[in-house]
Amino acid sequence: MKIVFLTGAGMSVESGLTTFRDAGGLWENYPVMEVASHDGWERNPDYVNAFYNMLRVKYKDVKPCEGHRLIAQLEKDYDVTVVTQNVDNLHEQAGSSKVIHLHGELMKMCSSRDVDNPRYWVSLPQEGWGTEGLEVPKGITAGDGSLLRPYIVFFQENVPNIYYGIEEAEKADVFIIIGTSLNVYPAASLLQYVPSSARVFLIDPHPALGRTSHNVSIIAKGASEGMKDVVAELARI
């Protein structure tokens, strides 16, 4: 059985990560278009780099929650793919082996000229860099000579991994949405590609779901408690 997850910020809240958009989120303290847009990077790469350095250091000791671990454990019995809007690596830390990051990865740097070319990716931490190798120094360049930039999909940029997400959604026997409002596109469009025969679950303490042709089972709980319910339900399918 093929299980595909779509996870958002609510997936990582139980691990202690601050959401970007909610009350008290990071966008209340930082101008979003200055730290998370293509234009912002072009205007002031040092400012943008410092923001993501801060995030890495702030979250360096964060660990997966039980929900992350329950998803990873499903690989023992099912074909599981995680499509995530999150830039943290908590799914990987928990043991998930097939993770598609739609919006980039906080622990990776890339060429500012050729963002999606893996030849120029640099994984963190790096020996000799600040705060346990997580702070990227100013002026560091990629292998093609361009400035290293965070491997983050900025506003005003395409989301190339959405196509891989669509391929997985089209094969789903079970599609499980956790901790996302389904208001952010193109990720929110993935449900449109899920076969009508698939079982669909939405786990969120404050579920919000627009019109859909699917019969969605709503579990109004947090990620960990909701995943316990899903695991039990999967055993009955």
Side-chain angles (χ1 to χ4, degrees):
M1 183 162 60
K2 176 73 174 181
I3 303 176
V4 178
F5 286 88
L6 172 61
T7 66
M11 182 78 234
S12 297
V13 164
E14 291 179 30
S15 293
L17 295 192
T18 306
T19 63
F20 286 87
R21 292 178 173 80
D22 292 343
L26 287 168
W27 295 154
E28 287 191 357
N29 301 311
Y30 295 89
V32 57
M33 296 308 289
E34 294 303 314
V35 298
S37 73
H38 183 82
D39 285 349
W41 167 259
E42 291 291 329
R43 279 193 298 271
N44 195 342
D46 287 343
Y47 181 74
V48 175
N49 194 46
F51 173 77
Y52 290 98
N53 282 346
M54 177 276 296
L55 282 187
R56 290 187 209 97
V57 173
K58 182 177 181 179
Y59 297 148
K60 67 183 177 67
D61 297 321
V62 170
K63 301 299 180 186
C65 69
E66 186 175 9
H68 290 106
R69 294 191 293 270
L70 287 171
I71 291 173
Q73 289 167 14
L74 289 176
E75 292 191 15
K76 297 176 183 177
D77 300 305
Y78 307 102
D79 178 6
V80 179
T81 298
V82 178
V83 182
T84 185
Q85 297 168 265
N86 300 333
V87 298
D88 61 63
N89 63 356
L90 294 175
H91 282 297
E92 289 90 342
Q93 285 189 45
S96 290
S97 63
K98 190 173 183 182
V99 182
I100 298 170
H101 286 270
L102 296 180
H103 297 158
E105 300 177 55
L106 184 61
M107 297 297 289
K108 188 178 288 184
M109 302 292 288
C110 63
S111 158
S112 55
R113 183 183 301 136
D114 197 1
V115 173
D116 295 304
N117 189 335
R119 290 178 57 194
Y120 306 125
W121 290 347
V122 175
S123 296
L124 301 175
Q126 284 287 312
E127 186 176 354
W129 290 3
T131 312
E132 301 179 27
L134 299 175
E135 293 184 290
V136 181
K138 293 181 181 180
I140 297 292
T141 57
D144 63 354
S146 69
L147 201 62
L148 266 183
R149 58 160 268 189
Y151 186 59
I152 300 293
V153 177
F154 292 141
F155 291 107
Q156 304 167 325
E157 295 181 338
N158 293 325
V159 184
N161 281 352
I162 190 64
Y163 301 106
Y164 299 112
I166 289 171
E167 289 178 353
E168 295 300 315
E170 289 175 335
K171 297 181 287 187
D173 298 305
V174 178
F175 191 76
I176 303 170
I177 305 160
I178 305 179
T180 176
S181 64
L182 293 180
N183 288 326
V184 179
Y185 284 82
S189 68
L190 287 179
L191 185 55
Q192 301 173 16
Y193 297 92
V194 175
S196 59
S197 59
R199 288 288 305 274
V200 179
F201 297 88
L202 170 61
I203 300 172
D204 197 293
H206 307 289
L209 184 67
R211 295 180 60 185
T212 174
S213 60
H214 292 83
N215 182 19
V216 180
S217 299
I218 295 177
I219 302 173
K221 297 181 179 181
S224 296
E225 291 303 311
M227 272 303 300
K228 291 177 184 178
D229 288 0
V230 165
V231 170
E233 184 63 26
L234 290 173
R236 293 191 282 268
I237 296 178

